[in-house]
Amino acid sequence: MQLQVSTVSQPNGVAVVKVVGTLALGRESQRVEATVQDLIAHGTNRIVMDLGGVEQMDSTGVGIVTYCYGQVKEAGGKFRVAEAKGKIREGFRITSVDALVPFDPDLDTSIAAAGAE
């Protein structure tokens, strides 16, 4: 499935970056990084990445999420990952990225945590 990236602003100032499809090596996946960089450039530094629609992910995908986390932290913000399940979540566990990046089981929890002062 072709990668789809969309952003939805929440009332509490959090932006949700929804990723659907395959997050893997290739030009298409760079859109995720570009979306996060654009949000930061426009003053949004509380970001939740919703991976509930990601069907496949390789090490590049793990790297992209880690990079986005670093960019948001550098901007003084909060970054969380929601809805990563099954083999997608396992990829983060195997690489120990889940020890660095905060993961939540559902979108509502991530939005509340990212929006908290």
Side-chain angles (χ1 to χ4, degrees):
M1 172 183 233
Q2 189 171 12
L3 186 69
Q4 299 171 10
V5 182
S6 60
T7 305
V8 178
S9 296
Q10 301 298 308
N12 65 351
V14 173
V16 175
V17 176
K18 183 167 183 60
V19 183
V20 176
T22 300
L23 187 55
L25 182 63
R27 235 185 188 157
E28 201 172 81
S29 293
Q30 293 173 345
R31 290 186 334 190
V32 175
E33 292 174 353
T35 298
V36 170
Q37 290 169 337
D38 189 53
L39 286 167
I40 293 168
H42 287 92
T44 300
N45 67 353
R46 291 183 288 164
I47 298 172
V48 171
M49 189 168 292
D50 178 358
L51 299 181
V54 175
E55 298 168 351
Q56 292 183 341
M57 183 181 69
D58 65 8
S59 61
T60 300
V62 173
I64 288 169
V65 173
T66 306
Y67 173 80
C68 291
Y69 167 79
Q71 292 295 298
V72 172
K73 291 301 281 185
E74 190 174 294
K78 292 184 181 180
F79 181 89
R80 302 189 75 86
V81 176
E83 303 286 341
K85 294 181 173 57
K87 63 185 176 185
I88 304 305
R89 181 71 172 88
E90 185 67 8
F92 292 105
R93 189 195 64 75
I94 290 170
T95 58
S96 297
V97 169
D98 63 351
L100 174 69
V101 178
F103 283 78
D104 297 302
D106 59 78
L107 191 55
D108 290 339
T109 301
S110 285
I111 291 169
E117 295 299 322

